Amino acid sequence: MAKLVSVNVGKPKNVSWQGRTVYTGVWKSPVAGPRMVRRLNIDGDGQGDLDGHGGEIRAVLVYQVASYDHWAAELGRDDLTPGAFGENLTVDGLPDDEVCIGDRYRIGQVVLEVTQPRVTCYRVGIRLGEPRMPALLVSHRRPGFYCRVLTEGEVEAGQAIEKIAAGPEGLTVAEIDALLYLPGHPREILKQALRIPALSPGWKWSLQQLLDQDAADATAAGNSGLTGNKVPPPAWPGFRPLRVTDTHDESSSVRSVWLGEPDGAPLPDWLPGQSITLRIPAQPGGEPLIRNYSLSNGLGTGKYRISVKREQRGTVSAYIHDHVRPGDVIDVAAPRGTFVLDEGQGPLILLSAGVGVTPVISMLYALAMTASKRSVWWVHVARNGAEHALAAEARELLDALPNGRSHISYSAPATTDRVGVDYDDAGRLTADQLADLALPVNAEAFLCGPDSFMDEMGEALVARGLDPANVHREKFGARSALTPGITPTDVKPPHQPEGPAGPGPDIQFARSAISAKWAPSYASLLDFAEACDVPTRWSCRTGVCHNCETALLSGEVRYSVEPLQRPASGNVLLCVSSPSEDVVLDL
């Protein structure tokens, strides 16, 4: 029979790491005597990052003596003592390749139910002084597992662990862990895993994404269970020249540019809501600048249209307005992005402000082309009629939808603007006004506009009752960072890295509008981006979690460590890659 060897607890604390401060509860130490195990925790214990650890589903973390022995031999260590892997219960027995999700165990009065494998996290690497640890735990199939507490009570080292119920599908912790993180995601096993009631909601969501992923395109699509990205790979790598076929002013500040193949062949279609990246020689000396623009036309035209607002200090937007003419040739990267119209049949809310209407127009075209019977609400904010770009186009598309409705707010209507005809409300759209529209709470919502607008309206929709997972935002600039456990500091604008310029390839961060020379002193593109204060997203830093997966708009990279699973075609894992040549990253 399995035995409880040690009970380990530890409160979160600040730890210095690579010049930053990490708030973490990974430092656990054995305690003497009995400890109370409660629904959310063990007395005296805590977690620093409740997004990835702790809570009712992950109340107790279990790790095995046999795995300690394995790592001692594998890493050549003699200093690994209970709690070193951040676990609450160190046990003799209960191996990951035998314990199943849904198994139940009794320790004294306490009853635990196995809910999921350990989440990959860089902090266990900090605790052990071994940065490879998140990847090693997965590749060696020794992750450990979390439990929920079904019956509270006291536990103490030395107690026996009794199995009192078996998980209904017989899938082990190691099998579930590999199903998500390692190559090969058998559909029948995915279906089997999704039938386990005890499996945590987060893991169910990830496995459902893998099940929904196109099996025929699995290699190109990467791991949608980790990224949530089920869009097809880009139609071509890098940049290619496209010819400007037409330009048209859509309002006093927005100009549309049509792009086509130089030989007249049709361009590949895209998903409604996606964007393209342009490389424009808008600087003195012809140095190119890179910007992303949403596509604003309908599918099936064989051409791409972007609609660009002239910004007050926008070098590229001014160049497009003042210099781009039919016949010009512009370098363009293929349509990309995950801000795309869903394929469901439920209600839709399309909420836009200003030039944020551009991806919404593409979505309206797609709905009108299929004569969709979905309930569609378009809520838009503009300054006035003169600045309301694509207004007539949007109304015509909505008129083609049997269940299409709109609400237009002008923040400063002109005397010629007609209330009830051109717009519905004067003034800035507020959360209260949005609530008064009685928008459907079971809708998918797509928001595009200034960050403050999307934040305020997104919060209003959630307060109204929408599931936060169904509220999607599109950002034209740099996306928000994800740096779990890092104590926030003053946000700096992206800049050149400190010190002399490196001798290596040019690294261009498209959304942050900077480029810098690579230096071999950096371990990865992630480290280099952080040195430039470019917002990044990461968690494991070892090529496992795919949080750092980013579109590689052009160039080639090499991997210092082969990822457990390659990213989607056209993407790169920043944390384990370095440039082989000049690269452009969608950061």
Side-chain angles (χ1 to χ4, degrees):
M1 181 177 287
K3 185 176 74 172
L4 179 58
V5 173
S6 178
V7 180
N8 317 300
V9 300
K11 290 290 189 180
K13 62 180 180 179
N14 288 323
V15 177
S16 179
W17 173 73
Q18 295 186 2
R20 288 170 282 192
T21 300
V22 179
Y23 186 62
T24 176
V26 75
W27 264 261
K28 311 290 186 191
S29 300
V31 295
R35 277 294 166 118
M36 188 70 183
V37 178
R38 304 186 189 276
R39 184 177 63 88
L40 294 180
N41 228 323
I42 298 177
D43 282 0
D45 193 46
Q47 296 83 26
D49 172 23
L50 292 176
D51 287 334
H53 309 275
E56 185 174 351
I57 302 297
R58 300 174 300 226
V60 176
L61 179 59
V62 178
Y63 210 51
Q64 307 90 353
V65 169
S67 288
Y68 270 86
D69 293 340
H70 173 83
W71 295 119
E74 183 73 20
L75 303 176
R77 302 278 290 265
D78 60 3
D79 60 340
L80 301 178
T81 56
F85 285 82
E87 79 277 10
N88 300 114
L89 305 181
T90 312
V91 300
D92 186 7
L94 307 188
D96 290 332
D97 60 358
E98 293 183 12
V99 171
C100 295
I101 304 297
D103 282 356
R104 294 183 179 184
Y105 295 92
R106 179 180 287 118
I107 310 173
Q109 297 175 330
V110 174
V111 177
L112 304 175
E113 181 178 57
V114 180
T115 57
Q116 67 171 71
R118 175 204 301 262
V119 178
T120 58
C121 173
Y122 74 107
R123 281 158 287 203
V124 69
I126 297 177
R127 172 68 177 85
L128 294 166
E130 175 48 79
R132 300 175 299 159
M133 210 65 228
L136 292 174
L137 289 170
V138 175
S139 62
H140 287 238
R141 305 186 69 146
R142 293 178 176 272
F145 55 89
Y146 279 109
C147 299
R148 66 161 55 89
V149 178
L150 298 181
T151 303
E152 297 181 341
E154 291 185 336
V155 298
E156 186 174 3
Q159 287 180 308
I161 303 174
E162 177 189 4
K163 183 175 179 178
I164 59 174
E169 296 292 334
L171 289 177
T172 69
V173 169
E175 287 174 319
I176 292 288
D177 198 55
L179 191 60
L180 176 60
Y181 289 115
L182 296 180
H185 314 284
R187 297 180 65 80
E188 289 308 313
I189 306 300
L190 288 168
K191 293 176 183 178
Q192 189 179 351
L194 289 167
R195 292 196 295 265
I196 303 174
L199 184 63
S200 71
W203 278 72
K204 282 189 174 181
W205 181 89
S206 293
L207 298 183
Q208 185 65 55
Q209 300 305 301
L210 285 171
L211 186 61
D212 293 342
Q213 185 171 308
D214 185 357
D217 197 27
T219 301
N223 190 321
S224 62
L226 298 174
T227 64
N229 178 10
K230 291 180 284 189
V231 302
W236 66 82
F239 289 85
R240 64 193 283 187
L242 298 183
R243 189 175 301 280
V244 177
T245 62
D246 193 15
T247 62
H248 179 71
D249 289 332
E250 307 290 358
S251 72
S252 60
S253 59
V254 174
R255 166 166 284 197
S256 284
V257 176
W258 286 87
L259 299 160
E261 284 280 21
D263 63 2
L267 286 167
D269 265 338
W270 67 96
L271 296 178
Q274 288 191 309
S275 61
I276 57 174
T277 305
L278 274 60
R279 185 161 59 191
I280 301 284
Q283 296 189 105
E287 287 294 320
L289 293 175
I290 292 176
R291 296 292 186 272
N292 292 335
Y293 295 105
S294 296
L295 292 166
S296 62
N297 60 309
L299 305 178
T301 62
K303 294 183 179 181
Y304 297 159
R305 182 180 71 173
I306 58 171
S307 302
V308 180
K309 181 184 178 183
R310 182 192 287 271
E311 301 291 349
Q312 187 174 2
R313 291 184 291 274
T315 303
V316 174
S317 67
Y319 184 90
I320 289 173
H321 276 253
D322 295 339
H323 299 290
V324 171
R325 298 290 183 267
D328 290 349
V329 174
I330 296 175
D331 287 340
V332 178
R336 285 177 168 85
T338 59
F339 183 77
V340 296
L341 184 67
D342 71 290
E343 297 179 351
Q345 297 301 314
L348 282 173
I349 299 171
L350 307 177
L351 187 52
S352 53
V355 77
V357 70
T358 51
V360 168
I361 286 288
S362 179
M363 294 179 180
L364 287 174
Y365 267 112
L367 293 164
M369 284 178 64
T370 60
S372 174
K373 293 182 172 57
R374 298 176 74 169
S375 172
V376 179
W377 266 97
W378 177 45
V379 181
H380 182 69
V381 179
R383 180 173 174 79
N384 50 47
E387 297 189 23
H388 187 177
L390 305 166
E393 208 167 312
R395 291 191 184 99
E396 183 178 346
L397 293 169
L398 276 168
D399 288 344
L401 298 174
N403 297 306
R405 303 176 68 181
S406 70
H407 184 88
I408 309 299
S409 294
Y410 282 176
S411 60
T415 55
T416 54
D417 293 329
R418 299 162 297 174
V419 65
V421 177
D422 301 310
Y423 68 100
D424 300 296
D425 274 329
R428 179 174 170 271
L429 182 67
T430 66
D432 288 341
Q433 288 175 318
L434 196 66
D436 289 342
L437 296 179
L439 300 173
V441 297
N442 60 332
E444 290 275 342
F446 294 86
L447 283 62
C448 190
D451 289 351
S452 58
F453 169 82
M454 290 192 290
D455 290 343
E456 182 179 354
M457 294 298 105
E459 291 172 4
L461 290 173
V462 171
R464 164 78 182 154
L466 268 73
D467 184 340
N470 293 337
V471 179
H472 313 286
R473 299 170 173 87
E474 174 69 325
K475 297 191 68 171
F476 293 121
R479 298 186 176 95
S480 58
L482 174 66
T483 54
I486 300 293
T487 301
T489 57
D490 292 337
V491 177
K492 299 178 182 178
H495 56 81
Q496 295 289 316
E498 294 182 2
D506 189 62
I507 313 300
Q508 195 155 7
F509 300 104
R511 290 179 179 267
S512 300
I514 68 162
S515 62
K517 289 290 186 182
W518 169 263
S521 57
Y522 294 97
S524 68
L525 282 166
L526 176 59
D527 289 341
F528 189 68
E530 290 176 331
C532 298
D533 280 306
V534 169
T536 55
R537 302 177 67 82
W538 53 267
S539 183
C540 73
R541 301 183 77 97
T542 57
V544 179
C545 73
H546 286 235
N547 278 334
C548 73
E549 185 169 331
T550 299
L552 179 65
L553 300 177
S554 71
E556 295 288 341
V557 303
R558 56 181 174 270
Y559 286 106
S560 57
V561 176
E562 182 62 25
L564 296 182
Q565 184 163 10
R566 285 270 179 161
S569 177
N571 289 355
V572 61
L573 296 180
L574 298 175
C575 69
V576 288
S577 63
S578 58
S580 301
E581 59 187 25
D582 292 352
V583 299
V584 180
L585 298 167
D586 190 27
L587 282 176

